[in-house]
Amino acid sequence: MNLSTAIRSERFVFADLREVFAKANEEKSGDQLAGLAAHTERERVAAKLVLAELTLGEIVDHPLIDPEDDEVSRLIGESLDPDTFGPLRGLTVGAFREWILDDATTEADLVAIRPGLTPEVAAAVAKLLSNKDLVLAASKVRVVTRCRNTMGQRGVLGIRIQPNHPSDDLGGILLSAADGLLFGCGDAVIGVNPAAESVEVASAILRALDRLIETLEIPTQACCLAHITTQLACLDRGAPVDLLFQSVAGTEAANASFGIDLALLREGKERVREHHRGRDVAWAGEQAMYFETGQGSALSAGAHHGVDQLTLEARAYGVARAFDPFLVNSVVGFIGPEYLHDERQIIRAGLEDHFLGKLLGLPMGVDVCYTNHAAADQNSADNLLLLLAAAGCNYFMGVPCADDVMLNYQSTSYHDALAARRLFGLRPAPEFAAWLGARGLPTGGPASRGDGSADRLMLEQLGPVLERVERIA
């Protein structure tokens, strides 16, 4: 491999592939914190030039993290289909970029090569794409999944209702969920992050959400985003589990910091699928997992192995795709400004994450968010929301007033979801849209009326819904 290049009279030599990957990355405060980032823009450009001339075979043949020391690296190697990869081996990263962006390259073409792509190859090409390129390339691909409803079709934009409560009060959670439903949100999942990590609390939340869904006959799924072991303990106690949640990362050591390994994820997937079959529900299927990721998680755990955070995020998607999930989302600005300092870095990372996930075949959503000490604001979130909607993002978060009062960060609101749907002519999942239409509730699509009638309909629905919620709680 040639890991050097000259720009005019200045020559740049990179020690290894990890250094090329890190210094070719767009500016990220996390890479700077780890001491991996390019020191100058000229060095960044030099690294991109070197990366563009590397072949996909050279990247695959030189793992960034030794498989003998890391089970994620072993999973990535074992998952690669040699027959699909063979024709790609001699392609340079630069040529691969041009092929992805070529108008003649279709969604079917991109789907066909998925078994021959490693996360590191996906990360390499992402480093050579502009923000516009990331939007354009991702917009070619849709990833459709099925649980209680169907998500990811072209023309569909889903929303996760995130009705978190600082004291896990069931009435408050259900009221917030009902509020989101009246805005046409909730088709992706009604997912609660519990304030307390206990089996009792998680079980109570799961049972309450299940009663809400069954009482109102909502074609959606519920999830309590506790640790996977807590959710499995809830399942043992008879609580209903639609989707099994877990945060995942791109190295074995980072996953260990979450208290998980691949064996636990495999066990969890099989147990929740068996649980679905035992419930004898018509919607029981293969896709029963929900994963969250985010650039910087491995670095924050001291488990990055000298690899840049974009590449580690791609490796997290390598973990996720091994479990055929129903939902995946990047919580892009949640970890904080130490890893993504400002609006520019958060927007870039959100577009990268979405592209990486879609290229690798994942049903990608994004929590368009930021912490209150980052150099970002709600206009920043609006910008990323609209770019990702154009890119074909599967779903966003719906948080009351975009302010999560339990997790103390800023995200996107129910109103933002409706605006994105109207601007881009998008609708909720088809089963959910039919449920909304039968109740006169807004879908947010182009046919939604702007004369206030939807607001009146929501107010008319509010009384009876809240009465039923009160009985459920």
Side-chain angles (χ1 to χ4, degrees), residues 435-451:
W435 180 83
L436 291 171
R439 287 152 183 80
L441 295 173
T443 64
S448 293
R449 300 177 64 180
D451 59 2

Side-chain angles (χ1 to χ4, degrees), residues 244-258:
L244 190 65
F245 166 82
Q246 182 55 50
S247 295
V248 294
T251 70
E252 179 179 348
N255 283 325
S257 75
F258 291 154

